[in-house]
């Protein structure tokens, strides 16, 4: 049996995605702010809801109107209008029962469109709590379509909704008085031959809004519109909007809403009192800065015990594998490649999970929209508005969904500028790199007030990335993407307590994605890098380089660096006297030779060939940098020293006994990773969203040059000032 195709439509933030998750058993992200869904998702209704026939549900982006003014609204319009394929068999319109006056305009438009319609009257609990209960039967009579009360957060009414959707085809769709009035209302500009009346109305509205491209107008349709003066087109569109709002007022009166009730937003009464503080032009900004600083400092501090436990577990596993299998290439692959490489990435899972948890709480509570409102004045100086800050904040988690989130931005130049800003935001893949260098190279116990130096450094890097993103946006908006600053209109949702189950499921899914990537992409790249770093073997060292490492201990004098007398070398602690680069077992490998070839370019930023190999690997995914360093130090130590990577970096010494990785070198490396664009998936998404290779290549080139230049500047200035 052919599945029934049902499109979930509605205003932003009315619970469509929550309803979709309940219907299909999916766990897509939900958030208490507009713009969470920016592309169409599909899923089948789960069998436990007993659908009469198979049902495929399409979750559309939220839209206030069927006249699209942004790409996400255009996605919804094209699906509902059947502009890019068959239209849905049924439209399930999700209405917010607590904000019915705002939602009914879209209902009127869908009635005009003529698709079979079922209304899911959602958030009935919120409306009842606010003292504004809605009578579903009265609304059904007024609209002339089935109305099912639901509470998507708890699953209430979902089974009845499925039943109504499954039976809609068997119920004759009588034309309600409302729809009859909408269809009979004469337009000032009648539809020309060959274009349907409903389609013509949408073309007129899109022409008046300047969004014909988003409406998918053909050349013939554009020609038909061009035959009328622009003033007449605009006047006809305005008249149609006024007629629809007149019908909305009539609907509200018919179901018993008084004039006072129509103006109320009951769910916002308590939120308005909170907003007097949280959106205050001074206190609100201070609170926002404090909230973000607390989040990033707590990530560094709270996850440390779990990190240590995972490091100990990986070290223990490596010892057990080595003892069970004995010496050999396969043992080296497992201990030096899989465990020392990909295993070191898993050490940072606690930070990743904590980041997603804290950001998820902000999103679900409704605070994310307030953050956009607070920074609107700052964004205006960049040339953008506060709506662009929502995808920027999402970039702290991952750049890819953040770039997709720019579809809510109406102006193409503003959207492109925001896309080019997002990769500067420190995503979750950069977090393990920051934590690795900070915890390995900087004092763990030093404090500034209640905060550790490490946590303040982490906050500083996130602040640096945010300021850099804003600076990049300002440059683009004043040069290649110059344009006026758009007005800012944003819906502030009511504050809600996050649902613990949904938040934890979101954290689990995102963390599982990170672990899955560590077990697939990162593991695969790590194994390839292990081969490149292990072969060919060093001369006269068929045992994998152990003879070279032992030679340093047997005859330290043979490894006194050039320019140092043996007498001076005698005062260097024996455990700090290291092999030279030429003695490293990886220097003869393919990867080692590539790293040595890169070293002259890396030395100005304080990095050696080992870091060069790690940087090269990180262009596949930033997390590979950690697994690559684990590989390098695991192979050089021949896996005899099962110490965590952080300790290996801290204890690594040059031939003269000085630290190989100093705080200054670590700072330069972190500066490089703040700015370098090293995510191939991000570049691919930018290519898809901009429909050109120009902008991803420009982004990659400019960010790479900036990363290298600033890393060199930091290291050279630090050396000149005498810092180590």
């Amino acid at each position: 049996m052919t599945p029934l195709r049902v499109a979930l439509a509605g205003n932003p933030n009315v619970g469509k995605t929550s309803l979709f998750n309940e219907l299909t058993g999916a766990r897509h992200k939900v958030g208490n702010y507009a713009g969470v869904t920016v592309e169409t998702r599909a899923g089948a209704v789960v069998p436990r809801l007993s659908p009469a026939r198979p049902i495929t549900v399409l979750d559309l982006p939220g839209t206030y109107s069927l006249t699209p003014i942004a790409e996400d609204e255009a996605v919804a319009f094209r699906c509902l209008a059947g502009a890019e394929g068959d239209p849905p068999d049924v439209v399930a319109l999700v209405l917010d029962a607590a904000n019915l006056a705002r939602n009914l305009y879209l209902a009127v438009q869908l009635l005009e469109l003529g698709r079979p319609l079922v209304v899911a009257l959602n958030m009935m609990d919120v409306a009842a709590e606010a003292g504004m209960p809605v009578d579903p039967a009265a609304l059904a009579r007024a609209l002339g379509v089935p109305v099912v009360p639901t509470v998507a957060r708890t699953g209430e009414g979902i089974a009845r909704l499925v039943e109504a959707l499954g039976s809609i085809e068997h119920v004759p769709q009588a034309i309600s008085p409302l729809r009859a009035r909408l269809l009979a209302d004469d337009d000032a500009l009648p539809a020309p031959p060959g274009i349907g009346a409903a389609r013509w109305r949408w073309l007129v509205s899109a022409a008046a809004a300047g969004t014909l491209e988003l409406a998918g107008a053909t050349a013939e349709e554009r020609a038909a519109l061009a035959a009328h003066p622009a003033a007449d087109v605009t006047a006809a569109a305005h008249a149609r909007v006024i007629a629809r709002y007149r019908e909305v007022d009539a609907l509200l009166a018919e179901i018993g809403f008084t004039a006072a009730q129509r103006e109320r937003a009951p769910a916002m009464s308590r939120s308005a009192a909170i907003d007097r503080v949280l959106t205050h032009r001074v206190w609100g900004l201070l609170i926002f800065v404090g909230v973000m600083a607390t989040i990033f400092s707590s990530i560094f501090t709270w996850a440390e015990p779990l990190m240590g436990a995972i490091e100990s577990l990986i070290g223990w596993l490596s010892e057990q594998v080595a003892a069970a299998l004995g010496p050999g290439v396969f043992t080296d692959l497992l201990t030096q490649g899989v465990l020392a490489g990909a295993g070191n990435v898993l050490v940072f899972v606690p930070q990743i999970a904590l980041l997603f948890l804290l950001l998820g709480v902000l999103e679900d509570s409704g605070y994310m929209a307030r953050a956009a409102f607070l920074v609107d004045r700052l964004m205006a100086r960049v040339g953008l508005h506060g709506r662009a800050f929502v995808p920027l904040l999402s970039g702290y988690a991952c750049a890819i969904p953040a770039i997709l989130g720019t579809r809510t931005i109406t102006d193409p130049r503003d959207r492109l500028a925001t896309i080019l800003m997002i990769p500067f935001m420190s995503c979750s893949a950069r977090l393990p790199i920051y934590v690795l260098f900070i915890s390995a190279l900087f004092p763990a116990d030093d404090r500034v007030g209640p905060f550790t130096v490490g946590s303040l450094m982490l906050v500083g890097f996130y602040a640096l990335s945010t300021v850099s993103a804003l600076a990049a946006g300002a440059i683009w908006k004043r040069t290649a993407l110059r344009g006026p600053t758009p007005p800012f209109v944003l819906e502030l949702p009511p504050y809600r307590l996050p649902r613990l189950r949904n938040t934890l499921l979101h954290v689990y899914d995102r963390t599982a994605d990170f672990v899955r990537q560590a077990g697939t992409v990162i593991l695969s790249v790590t194994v390839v890098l292990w081969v490149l770093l292990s072969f060919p073997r060093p001369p006269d060292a068929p045992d994998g380089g152990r003879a070279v490492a032992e030679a340093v201990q047997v005859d330290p004098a043979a490894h006194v660096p050039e320019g140092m007398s043996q007498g001076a070398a005698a005062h260097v602690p024996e455990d700090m006297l290291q092999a030279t680069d030429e003695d490293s077992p990886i220097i003869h490998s393919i990867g080692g030779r590539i790293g040595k070839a890169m070293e002259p370019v890396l030395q100005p930023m304080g990095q050696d060939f080992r870091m060069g190999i790690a940087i090269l690997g990180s262009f596949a995914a930033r997390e590979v940098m950690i697994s690559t360093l684990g590989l390098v130090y695991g192979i050089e130590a021949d896996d005899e020293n099962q110490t965590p990577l952080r300790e290996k970096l801290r204890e690594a010494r040059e031939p003269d006994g000085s630290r190989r990785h100093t705080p200054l070198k670590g700072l330069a490396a972190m500066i490089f990773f703040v700015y370098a664009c090293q995510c191939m998936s991000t570049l691919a998404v930018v290519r898809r969203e901009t429909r050109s290779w120009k902008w991803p290549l420009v982004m990659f080139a400019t960010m790479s040059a900036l990363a290298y230049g600033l890393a060199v500047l930091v290291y050279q200035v630090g050396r000149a000032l005498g810092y180590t």
Side-chain angles (χ1 to χ4, degrees):
M1 183 181 294
T2 304
L4 184 73
R5 296 176 69 249
V6 175
L8 274 182
N11 287 182
N13 205 40
V14 296
K16 292 188 311 302
T17 301
S18 295
L19 198 62
F20 177 81
N21 289 343
E22 288 291 336
L23 287 168
T24 64
R27 295 210 296 251
H28 288 297
K29 177 183 177 182
V30 297
N32 188 20
Y33 61 97
V36 175
T37 304
V38 292
E39 57 186 346
T40 302
R41 301 164 177 153
V45 171
V46 293
R48 65 177 174 81
L49 294 174
S50 304
R53 58 177 291 187
I55 299 177
T56 298
V57 183
L58 307 175
D59 183 21
L60 304 182
T63 179
Y64 293 104
S65 163
L66 290 186
T67 302
I69 60 172
E71 180 61 31
D72 60 328
E73 293 182 339
V75 170
F77 170 77
R78 288 194 289 265
C79 176
L80 293 169
E84 295 179 350
D86 295 332
D89 300 314
V90 183
V91 176
L93 174 62
V94 185
L95 300 180
D96 180 357
N99 288 288
L100 204 56
R102 185 197 68 194
N103 285 208
L104 283 176
Y105 184 83
L106 181 60
V108 168
Q109 286 188 308
L110 286 172
L111 285 172
E112 274 187 70
L113 197 60
R115 302 277 177 256
L117 187 65
V118 173
V119 170
L121 190 58
N122 199 31
M123 301 189 186
M124 292 290 289
D125 55 337
V126 177
E129 183 182 346
M132 289 186 62
V134 180
D135 183 357
L139 184 60
R141 288 192 299 270
L143 292 174
V145 299
V147 175
V148 180
T150 62
V151 180
R153 285 163 60 93
T154 63
E156 181 181 339
I158 303 300
R160 292 194 298 275
L161 177 62
V162 171
E163 182 181 353
L165 292 171
S167 61
I168 189 70
E169 287 188 319
H170 307 294
V171 177
Q173 292 288 298
I175 297 181
S176 66
L178 169 60
R179 189 178 175 208
R181 290 195 302 271
L182 292 169
L183 296 177
D185 193 8
D186 292 331
D187 286 309
L189 294 180
I195 301 179
R199 173 66 176 169
W200 178 249
R201 290 177 180 178
W202 263 263
L203 289 171
V204 169
S205 298
T211 58
L212 276 176
E213 183 178 352
L214 291 177
T218 64
E220 293 78 9
E221 291 169 340
R222 290 175 182 269
L225 287 166
H228 300 278
D232 291 350
V233 172
T234 302
H238 287 175
R240 170 56 53 185
V241 170
I242 292 171
R244 288 171 183 150
Y245 274 113
R246 188 166 54 241
E247 295 296 347
V248 169
D249 289 338
L251 277 171
L252 292 170
E254 189 172 347
I255 63 175
F257 268 49
T258 64
Q261 285 177 310
R262 298 175 203 176
E263 300 299 325
R264 286 178 59 198
M268 290 298 297
S269 55
R270 182 170 49 190
S271 299
I274 300 173
D275 280 339
R276 292 190 187 99
V277 177
L278 294 188
T279 61
H280 190 273
R281 60 187 304 175
V282 176
W283 301 117
L285 280 173
L286 291 176
I287 292 171
F288 171 68
V289 172
V291 166
M292 300 309 294
T294 301
I295 286 177
F296 295 124
S297 63
S298 62
I299 287 172
F300 185 84
T301 306
W302 295 352
E304 180 63 32
L306 283 176
M307 286 180 61
I310 297 174
E311 284 177 332
S312 300
L313 176 62
I314 291 173
W316 178 82
L317 285 174
S318 186
E319 291 174 355
Q320 298 304 309
V321 169
L325 299 180
V329 173
F330 185 65
T331 302
D332 291 345
L333 171 62
L334 293 180
T335 56
Q336 300 170 358
V338 176
L339 292 174
N344 275 298
V345 178
L346 299 179
V347 170
F348 301 95
V349 166
Q351 272 97 354
I352 300 296
L354 197 54
L355 174 66
F356 289 140
L357 174 64
L358 296 176
L359 289 180
V361 169
L362 289 186
E363 293 174 351
D364 292 347
S365 66
Y367 186 70
M368 191 72 82
R370 273 74 184 180
F373 175 80
L374 286 168
V375 300
D376 177 56
R377 182 173 299 180
L378 176 62
M379 296 295 288
R381 296 182 180 180
V382 174
L384 299 168
H385 56 50
R387 184 179 292 276
F389 197 66
V390 175
L392 287 180
L393 281 177
S394 300
Y396 284 138
C398 181
I400 294 173
I403 290 171
L404 296 179
T406 62
R407 293 178 178 180
T408 62
I409 299 173
T410 56
D411 188 276
R413 289 170 299 184
D414 292 345
R415 184 182 178 220
L416 180 55
T418 308
I419 288 175
L420 296 174
M421 293 165 66
I422 287 172
F424 284 94
M425 304 296 286
S426 287
C427 65
S428 59
R430 288 183 173 105
L431 176 60
I433 298 173
Y434 298 155
V435 174
L436 173 66
F437 283 113
I438 292 173
S439 58
L441 305 180
F442 293 87
D445 299 326
D446 288 1
R447 288 183 171 272
V448 177
F451 302 103
T452 64
V453 170
S455 63
L456 291 178
M457 289 188 66
L458 187 62
V459 172
F461 279 113
Y462 275 94
L464 176 63
S465 70
T466 305
V467 171
S468 300
L470 296 175
I475 293 172
W476 284 116
K477 284 293 292 179
R478 285 163 174 76
T479 54
L481 302 175
R482 183 187 300 272
T485 301
F488 181 42
V489 179
L490 177 69
E491 176 188 357
L492 293 180
Y495 288 106
R496 296 192 180 105
L497 286 175
R499 288 192 69 196
L500 183 61
R501 176 180 176 273
N502 287 349
T503 302
L504 292 180
L505 284 175
H506 173 63
V507 172
Y508 172 81
D509 289 340
R510 296 300 299 269
T511 307
D513 288 341
F514 180 83
V515 174
R516 197 175 299 115
Q517 186 181 25
T520 53
V521 176
I522 297 176
L523 179 60
S524 301
V525 174
T526 300
V527 170
V528 171
L529 287 172
W530 177 83
V531 173
L532 294 176
L533 292 171
S534 299
F535 300 98
R537 298 286 194 177
D540 304 322
D543 56 353
R546 186 176 289 108
V548 175
E550 290 175 351
V552 180
Q553 299 175 359
V554 171
D555 187 12
H559 297 274
V560 174
E562 184 178 353
M564 179 183 289
S565 67
Q566 292 192 14
H571 297 287
V572 177
E574 185 175 341
D575 61 343
M576 291 187 177
L577 199 59
Q578 302 287 310
T580 62
D581 288 348
E582 287 70 21
D583 292 319
S584 171
I586 66 172
I587 202 65
H588 302 280
S589 67
I590 297 173
R593 292 170 184 173
I594 294 173
K596 287 298 287 185
M598 295 172 58
E599 199 168 45
V601 178
L602 298 170
Q603 284 175 339
M605 54 184 280
Q607 312 305 317
D608 64 0
F609 75 97
R610 299 171 183 84
M611 188 62 70
I613 298 169
I615 290 174
L616 193 62
S618 67
F619 280 95
R622 289 187 181 93
E623 303 94 323
V624 174
M625 179 266 185
I626 295 173
S627 65
T628 306
L629 279 180
L631 274 176
V632 169
Y633 281 95
I635 293 174
E636 284 196 332
D638 198 35
D639 212 44
E640 291 179 352
N641 184 15
Q642 303 297 337
T643 56
L645 178 59
R646 292 186 292 176
E647 291 186 25
K648 290 179 180 178
L649 294 180
R650 190 180 302 124
E651 300 300 329
R653 293 293 187 270
E654 297 290 1
D656 61 357
S658 62
R659 294 178 65 178
R660 179 180 297 159
H661 299 285
T662 65
L664 179 59
K665 291 180 179 179
L667 181 62
M670 287 187 284
I671 291 293
F672 178 86
F673 280 100
V674 166
Y675 293 101
C677 182
Q678 296 169 295
C679 181
M680 297 299 105
S681 298
T682 298
L683 294 174
V685 170
V686 173
R687 158 67 181 85
R688 189 182 75 178
E689 294 299 303
T690 61
R691 299 180 177 89
S692 168
W693 277 111
K694 171 186 174 182
W695 292 110
L697 291 176
V698 167
M699 185 173 70
F700 178 80
T702 55
M703 292 186 69
S704 298
L706 184 63
Y708 179 75
L710 290 179
V712 170
L713 180 66
V714 166
Y715 182 67
Q716 296 300 331
V717 170
R719 285 187 63 193
L721 295 176
Y723 291 107
T724 59

